[in-house]
Amino acid sequence: QAQAMHVSRSYFDQAFKLIAGYSREVAQDTTASAQLQLESNLAHARYQARLAPGIRPVARLNALLHLRLHRRWMNQTVGAGAQVFIDNEGASHFNPFGSWSPADGWTIEGGANLFAGKPDTRFGVFKDDSNLYLLGRYSY
């Protein structure tokens, strides 16, 4: 007897993906951008048949919106901004960030990754992994 093969909720055997975006300097040293990603599962019936019992299927058409705003000051040595990712299941990832370059080659960055959504969604699965970060980088 053949055993049924189960796939992850977010696994698409065959899919079509379209990404469109726009970025613009909205003021001096301030950039805003938006991106929309659409993904369609081309084999939705087969996908649903391969899900484990009780697993909620992903919609046939999925959308992900990405918005970003970034500003720089003091001869572009200080920067701050935020970006957010929101999907059509109500899950989100919010990332505020900042940076400072005290000398040539040195950058200090900090920010947060804040996840929200149902536990089986793209970002909700990381809800308990929201974090703060700080890093130093030297480039030569």
Side-chain angles (χ1 to χ4, degrees):
Q1 179 179 6
Q3 190 172 9
M5 182 174 98
H6 298 296
V7 296
S8 162
R9 178 178 187 267
S10 56
Y11 172 78
F12 297 139
D13 197 16
Q14 298 173 351
F16 174 78
K17 190 179 286 190
L18 175 69
I19 300 173
Y22 183 74
S23 183
R24 175 180 183 127
E25 187 171 27
V26 294
Q28 185 175 351
D29 295 326
T30 304
T31 304
S33 58
Q35 179 176 298
L36 178 63
Q37 174 182 304
L38 299 174
E39 184 175 28
S40 179
N41 185 348
L42 298 176
H44 200 68
R46 183 171 59 208
Y47 159 77
Q48 286 182 309
R50 294 168 78 186
L51 283 175
I55 301 296
R56 184 172 60 96
V58 173
R60 181 183 300 265
L61 179 64
N62 296 290
L64 177 65
L65 178 64
H66 173 230
L67 302 171
R68 185 175 198 270
L69 184 64
H70 188 225
R71 169 98 169 129
R72 293 192 175 270
W73 298 272
M74 299 173 57
N75 295 320
Q76 299 193 349
T77 60
V78 175
Q83 59 185 351
V84 64
F85 300 83
I86 304 167
D87 71 15
N88 62 322
E89 293 185 305
S92 63
H93 171 201
F94 179 58
N95 171 229
F97 55 87
S99 66
W100 175 48
S101 297
D104 287 345
W106 286 99
T107 303
I108 299 168
E109 298 178 15
N113 289 298
L114 307 170
F115 301 99
K118 293 180 182 177
D120 64 346
T121 58
R122 179 189 320 236
F123 301 115
V125 70
F126 300 113
K127 193 175 192 175
D128 293 335
D129 295 321
S130 291
N131 60 69
L132 299 174
Y133 63 89
L134 181 64
L135 65 95
R137 178 180 306 153
Y138 179 73
S139 304
Y140 56 92

